[in-house]
């Protein structure tokens, strides 16, 4: 298909195209029944065609104009530029948007709730998660492929080497479950790392907006200087009286605190300007 389009994967954009049909079917099955599906980075459409066949309304956001050209066959059956291997897909109802997902208002794609599926470029996994979590009241489920190392960090419990600000950020916003791993041979070109498919179910906010701002301050301060005690890490942010009133041993380090303890600390403190 890439040969028919006359293109090569762009290394600078982290393009690794899924080429294993079984993996694609498993990802679509993990989404479950869905009326509205947002796909991020569809590439050559390995997932897109299967998503459209479910009967759902599918919107695919793709940055690469050459990939958009190939995906145009999903909604433009009369196009004369469709490569032969894509022509059978032309009757499927898919809306393709050429845009960078980090710049596009993804909340405007659908009215009401929707699900998200993606093979995420490894180098922008965290900023994409941040954008998706901002829509957690509307997104009901996410099925995402990411670097296994990142998936491990999302799922890490307190006290482990991989537990950090990303773990807390993700676990605050969603219930997370590891679904399955994908070897490099399932992609073209094969990445140098293993991949993992993760399910994320967004949860309602546990804190008010002001408390969430404090939560973020606590996490950034605690893990910005990982080896410092909480007392030393938080001293620049909060007054001695505020720290003295905290219901926690300030000689502990941030890496030992659970999400529930960070949430409790945020509720105990008021943000300072």
């Amino acid at each position: 298909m890439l040969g028919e389009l006359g293109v090569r994967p762009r290394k600078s954009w982290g393009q690794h195209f899924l080429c294993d049909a079984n993996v694609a079917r498993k990802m679509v099955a993990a989404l479950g029944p869905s009326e509205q599906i947002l796909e991020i980075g569809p590439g050559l459409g390995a997932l897109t065609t299967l998503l459209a066949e479910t009967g759902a309304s599918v919107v695919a956001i793709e940055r690469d104009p050459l990939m958009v050209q190939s995906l145009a066959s999903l909604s433009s059956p009369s196009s004369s530029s469709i490569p032969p291997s894509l022509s059978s897909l032309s009757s499927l109802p898919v809306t393709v948007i050429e845009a960078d997902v980090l710049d596009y208002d993804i909340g405007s794609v659908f009215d009401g709730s929707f699900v998200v599926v993606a093979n995420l470029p490894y180098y922008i996994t965290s900023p994409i998660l941040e954008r998706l979590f901002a829509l957690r009241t509307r997104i009901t489920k996410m099925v995402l492929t990411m670097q296994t190392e990142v998936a491990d960090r999302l799922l890490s419990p307190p006290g482990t080497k991989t537990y950090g600000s990303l773990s807390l950020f993700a676990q605050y916003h969603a219930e997370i479950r590891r679904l399955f791993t994908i070897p490099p041979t399932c992609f073209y070109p094969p990445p140098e790392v293993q991949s993992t498919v993760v399910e994320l179910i967004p949860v309602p906010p546990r804190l008010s907006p002001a408390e969430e701002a404090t939560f973020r301050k606590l996490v950034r301060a605690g893990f910005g200087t990982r080896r410092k005690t909480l007392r030393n890490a938080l001293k620049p942010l909060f007054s001695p009286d505020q720290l003295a009133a905290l219901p926690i041993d300030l000689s502990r380090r941030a890496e030992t605190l659970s999400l529930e303890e960070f949430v409790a600390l945020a509720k105990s403190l008021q943000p300072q300007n």
Side-chain angles (χ1 to χ4, degrees):
M1 293 173 70
L2 288 170
E4 291 169 358
L5 292 168
V7 299
R8 293 182 178 181
R10 301 195 194 200
K11 186 176 182 180
S12 62
W13 285 1
Q15 287 183 331
H16 298 278
F17 300 105
L18 181 64
C19 56
D20 187 292
N22 184 51
V23 170
R25 286 191 292 268
K26 288 172 68 175
M27 290 186 68
V28 173
L31 279 176
S34 309
E35 294 184 0
Q36 300 188 131
I37 303 174
L38 172 65
E39 183 183 8
I40 298 172
L44 290 167
L47 287 173
T48 317
T49 55
L50 297 175
L51 295 170
E53 288 170 354
T54 66
S57 174
V58 180
V59 173
I61 298 180
E62 173 58 54
R63 176 186 183 185
D64 191 335
L66 295 174
M67 297 301 105
V68 172
Q69 176 188 337
S70 73
L71 290 165
S73 65
L74 299 176
S75 54
S76 302
S78 61
S79 174
S80 60
S81 62
I82 302 172
S85 61
L86 298 174
S87 60
S88 63
L89 312 179
S90 60
S91 61
L92 297 176
V94 175
T95 300
V96 182
I97 298 173
E98 182 181 341
D100 186 333
V101 70
L102 295 180
D103 298 326
Y104 193 78
D105 179 11
I106 55 179
S108 67
V109 170
F110 295 113
D111 292 327
S113 61
F114 58 98
V115 300
V116 178
V117 64
N119 292 311
L120 296 179
Y122 297 145
Y123 71 106
I124 55 171
T125 297
S126 293
I128 289 178
L129 284 175
E130 186 172 353
R131 298 214 67 199
L132 294 174
F133 287 144
L135 293 169
R136 65 183 184 265
T137 58
R138 295 183 54 206
I139 297 174
T140 57
K141 181 188 287 190
M142 295 177 260
V143 174
L144 308 176
T145 301
M146 60 188 67
Q147 185 176 342
T148 295
E149 180 183 341
V150 177
D152 291 342
R153 290 168 62 195
L154 295 189
L155 290 154
S156 292
T160 58
K161 290 183 178 180
T162 52
Y163 182 69
S165 55
L166 181 60
S167 314
L168 284 159
F169 175 71
Q171 293 169 25
Y172 174 79
H173 287 93
E175 295 177 357
I176 310 168
R177 185 165 66 101
R178 189 191 307 269
L179 297 182
F180 54 91
T181 57
I182 309 177
T185 52
C186 292
F187 297 92
Y188 179 82
E192 296 179 357
V193 297
Q194 196 157 29
S195 305
T196 294
V197 178
V198 176
E199 175 192 80
L200 301 99
I201 307 294
V203 297
R206 311 183 197 189
L207 299 169
S208 69
E211 290 169 339
E212 281 194 4
T214 303
F215 173 82
R216 289 191 293 270
K217 280 186 178 181
L218 289 167
V219 172
R220 283 197 299 266
F223 288 95
T225 50
R226 195 178 182 99
R227 300 308 301 168
K228 283 188 177 182
T229 64
L230 286 174
R231 178 177 291 105
N232 291 331
L234 301 181
K235 189 182 297 183
L237 297 177
F238 303 101
S239 70
D241 289 342
Q242 286 178 304
L243 294 178
L246 292 178
I248 199 165
D249 180 0
L250 293 177
S251 66
R252 293 172 61 183
R253 294 188 173 93
E255 64 200 53
T256 70
L257 270 66
S258 67
L259 171 62
E260 289 71 24
E261 287 176 306
F262 270 106
V263 167
L265 287 179
K267 289 181 177 179
S268 300
L269 291 162
Q270 291 298 317
Q272 287 187 341
N273 297 321

